[in-house]
Amino acid sequence: MAARTTRIIWVLTAVVLAVAAGAITFEVLPTLRVEWCKTFPEKRSAVAVPPADVDPKQVVVAYLNAVAARDDDTLRMLAAPSFLERHGGNGIGCYYRRLDLAWVGEPHADSSAYARQVFAVPTRYTVEMEESGPESDGERRYDILVGRNTPSERWRIIDYGNG
């Protein structure tokens, strides 16, 4: 009985080592590291949530600073639920090793299916990605859409795209 138990332990150990070797070979470990960050986010620093009456430009600045800081609490306060559902409710900053905000332009009126009042805020920032993937390190230029349905609501991030 003891010999059989020992054999089972050796077989299980061999299987675990084979899976680990395969994970390294097929670059699964970087994915696991990002998923670990999403499950157990490590906040780099806290970013203050701006008052509810700030303009769209200030919301975008605070949002990008929260992404850089991996401050998911502030991200959730500044982003619309529909945006979080489409782009991940936790760990948005996990993909970025570094995000440096270069410029945030003046908001201009836009449209979106996600809100009645919408402004596009042009941005330019540079990123260093946590892992190589479909997006390379470097400069990003996006219009970040900020919207709300009534004047009494807080402006929230609702989408982004190339402007």
Coordinates of all heavy atoms in Angstrom, one line a residue, residues 99-104 124-126 139:
L99 N 2.2 54.5 -16.5 CA 1.4 55.4 -17.3 C 1.8 56.8 -17.0 O 1.6 57.2 -15.8 CB -0.1 55.1 -17.1 CG -1.0 55.9 -18.0 CD1 -2.3 55.1 -18.3 CD2 -1.4 57.3 -17.5
D100 N 2.3 57.6 -18.0 CA 2.6 59.0 -17.7 C 1.7 59.9 -18.5 O 1.7 59.8 -19.8 CB 4.1 59.2 -18.2 CG 5.1 58.5 -17.3 OD1 4.9 58.4 -16.1 OD2 6.0 57.9 -17.9
L101 N 1.0 60.7 -17.8 CA 0.0 61.6 -18.5 C 0.8 62.7 -19.1 O 1.5 63.4 -18.4 CB -1.0 62.1 -17.4 CG -2.2 62.9 -17.9 CD1 -3.0 62.2 -19.0 CD2 -3.0 63.3 -16.8
A102 N 0.6 62.9 -20.4 CA 1.3 64.0 -21.1 C 0.5 65.2 -21.3 O 0.9 66.4 -21.2 CB 1.8 63.5 -22.5
W103 N -0.8 65.0 -21.7 CA -1.7 66.1 -22.0 C -3.1 65.7 -22.0 O -3.5 64.6 -22.4 CB -1.2 66.6 -23.4 CG -2.1 67.6 -24.1 CD1 -2.0 69.0 -23.8 CD2 -3.1 67.5 -25.0 NE1 -3.0 69.6 -24.6 CE2 -3.6 68.7 -25.4 CE3 -3.6 66.3 -25.7 CZ2 -4.7 68.9 -26.3 CZ3 -4.7 66.5 -26.6 CH2 -5.2 67.8 -26.9
V104 N -4.0 66.6 -21.5 CA -5.4 66.5 -21.6 C -6.0 67.7 -22.2 O -5.7 68.8 -21.7 CB -6.0 66.2 -20.2 CG1 -7.5 66.1 -20.3 CG2 -5.4 64.9 -19.6
R124 N -3.3 62.5 -24.4 CA -2.1 61.9 -24.9 C -1.3 61.5 -23.7 O -1.1 62.2 -22.7 CB -1.3 62.9 -25.7 CG -0.1 62.3 -26.4 CD 0.6 63.3 -27.4 NE 1.3 64.3 -26.6 CZ 1.1 65.6 -26.7 NH1 0.2 66.1 -27.5 NH2 1.8 66.4 -26.0
Y125 N -0.9 60.2 -23.7 CA -0.1 59.7 -22.6 C 0.8 58.6 -23.1 O 0.5 58.0 -24.2 CB -1.0 59.2 -21.4 CG -2.1 58.3 -21.8 CD1 -1.9 56.9 -21.7 CD2 -3.3 58.7 -22.2 CE1 -2.9 56.0 -22.0 CE2 -4.3 57.8 -22.5 CZ -4.1 56.5 -22.4 OH -5.1 55.6 -22.8
T126 N 1.8 58.2 -22.3 CA 2.7 57.1 -22.7 C 2.5 56.0 -21.7 O 2.2 56.3 -20.5 CB 4.1 57.5 -22.8 OG1 4.5 58.1 -21.5 CG2 4.4 58.6 -23.9
E139 N 3.3 55.8 -26.9 CA 2.3 56.8 -26.8 C 0.9 56.4 -27.2 O 0.7 55.6 -28.1 CB 2.7 58.0 -27.7 CG 1.8 59.2 -27.5 CD 2.2 60.4 -28.3 OE1 3.1 61.1 -27.8 OE2 1.7 60.6 -29.4

